[in-house]
Every structure is written in structure tokens, then in C-alpha cells.
Amino acid sequence: MNSMKQPTSTIGAAAVFAVALGTLVADEARAAVTPDIPRLVDAMPWVGACLLTPEVVPLSGTQSAPGSRGSMTLTQPGSPFEITVDEGGFQTFDIEIQVDRMRRRHGAVYVAWAAKPELDEWMQLGTLSEENRLEARVAWNQFLVFVSEEASADVERWQGPIMLTGLSPSGRLHTMAGHGPFEAMNCQLYY
């Protein structure tokens, strides 16, 4: 019966080997995940598609700005990982807004906003430049982007008419577009 038991030294050696192998594998994995994105993309092309391919979302004119149009380009900030998240775990996007056509009223300021689909949280992204451009960052998994016409950029919440709207691709799962201040919008435009 005692011959069926393994000697303690064999069990100890196997444990030491397992720990050493685990450490070696962990070190190699850690070395593979570096801020060197081009090398990471070469090793795993699907990561490159996630990190380097921007998502272009149309911005549509509302009844307050018929015929207006633009786009927002969503990209992931540089990261050695597939998805960039903030400290709260929300996906982070760099947004570039470009308005191609919108009639500007003299003296008005055009402010871009982001809001969660339920419209319970929002943030001001900034003011469109004279070239109708803006760059900002949003850290929400789903969001609506819109441009309002304001008398001043110094507003905590939009007060003027909504001119353009667009929805993050993930926000299409559920949206308040067509409700509340956007009730004049056709929800079907987003699908």
C-alpha cells in the first residue's frame, strides 16, 4: 500500500515546476501586452480592427434645422488593450464632430452635448468652431450626441433648439430619441 503513495519530494518538485511554468507564462503574456500597438496589431489583426477602425455615425438635422447634416467619428483612445475604459469601467470614445451643412444664426453659439439614452445624465462637449468642428471624449457605453443653438456657451443644460442629433451604435439598443425634448424626432431614423 505504501508503494502507491508518491514520495513527498516528487509532489514538491511538481508544485515548484507548476509555479515556475506559471510565472514564465505570465511574464511572456505581460511582455506581449505593451503600449506598442503596431506590434500588437501585427500579432492579432482583429485587435487592430477594434482599435484603429473609426466608427462614423451620421448627425441628422431636426425640425429646427431641416437639411442640416454632419457626422461624428468615434475612435478608441490609444491603449494596449482591445477596449479602453475609464476608472468606472465605462467604454471611452474620442469623438470628432464635423457639421457639413447647418444654417448658422448670427450671434448664436452652437454647443455639442452627450447624454445617456435615458437623458438622466448629460455633459457639455464644447462649442463648435467656426469650421463647425469639435473634438471631445465621452466615457459612456451608450450615448446620444446632439448640437443645440444657444445664446451663450455658458449653460449647464441645453436651453435652445436642438439642431442635430446622432446616436452611438451601442445606444441603438435603447433610446429616448423621440421622447422628451426630442419628441419631434422620428425614432426610426436611428435604426
Side-chain angles (χ1 to χ4, degrees):
M1 262 195 170
N2 284 345
S3 63
M4 295 188 73
K5 289 185 176 179
Q6 290 188 347
T8 306
S9 61
T10 306
I11 295 172
V16 168
F17 177 75
V19 169
L21 181 61
T23 302
L24 179 63
V25 169
D27 287 344
E28 286 183 21
R30 212 175 290 117
V33 180
T34 67
D36 187 7
I37 290 175
R39 195 178 93 207
L40 182 63
V41 170
D42 289 342
M44 296 177 283
W46 57 271
V47 172
C50 293
L51 291 174
L52 304 176
T53 305
E55 177 86 33
V56 179
V57 177
L59 296 176
S60 302
T62 65
Q63 288 182 337
S64 298
S68 296
R69 71 169 189 232
S71 63
M72 63 174 169
T73 303
L74 306 174
T75 55
Q76 288 278 304
S79 169
F81 307 104
E82 183 179 353
I83 296 175
T84 306
V85 296
D86 71 354
E87 59 278 353
F90 293 104
Q91 194 169 354
T92 305
F93 294 95
D94 284 335
I95 299 177
E96 181 181 341
I97 295 173
Q98 171 65 53
V99 176
D100 301 321
R101 187 180 353 166
M102 181 178 68
R103 190 173 189 177
R104 292 180 76 115
R105 190 171 51 84
H106 181 70
V109 177
Y110 295 88
V111 181
W113 305 85
K116 288 189 174 181
E118 295 80 19
L119 302 177
D120 58 341
E121 290 184 49
W122 63 85
M123 63 182 287
Q124 187 186 105
L125 299 177
T127 305
L128 291 180
S129 69
E130 290 296 320
E131 295 80 32
N132 288 331
R133 298 178 66 86
L134 173 70
E135 292 183 9
R137 182 169 284 178
V138 173
W140 286 329
N141 296 334
Q142 300 176 346
F143 54 91
L144 176 70
V145 169
F146 52 98
V147 176
S148 66
E149 182 181 81
E150 306 292 344
S152 164
D154 190 26
V155 290
E156 291 183 25
R157 186 180 184 278
W158 63 95
Q159 298 172 3
I162 307 295
M163 309 298 280
L164 294 156
T165 62
L167 192 60
S168 69
S170 57
R172 294 179 189 138
L173 298 172
H174 173 73
T175 176
M176 290 298 289
H179 305 281
F182 304 99
E183 61 190 23
M185 291 297 297
N186 179 0
C187 297
Q188 298 303 314
L189 292 175
Y190 295 103
Y191 300 101

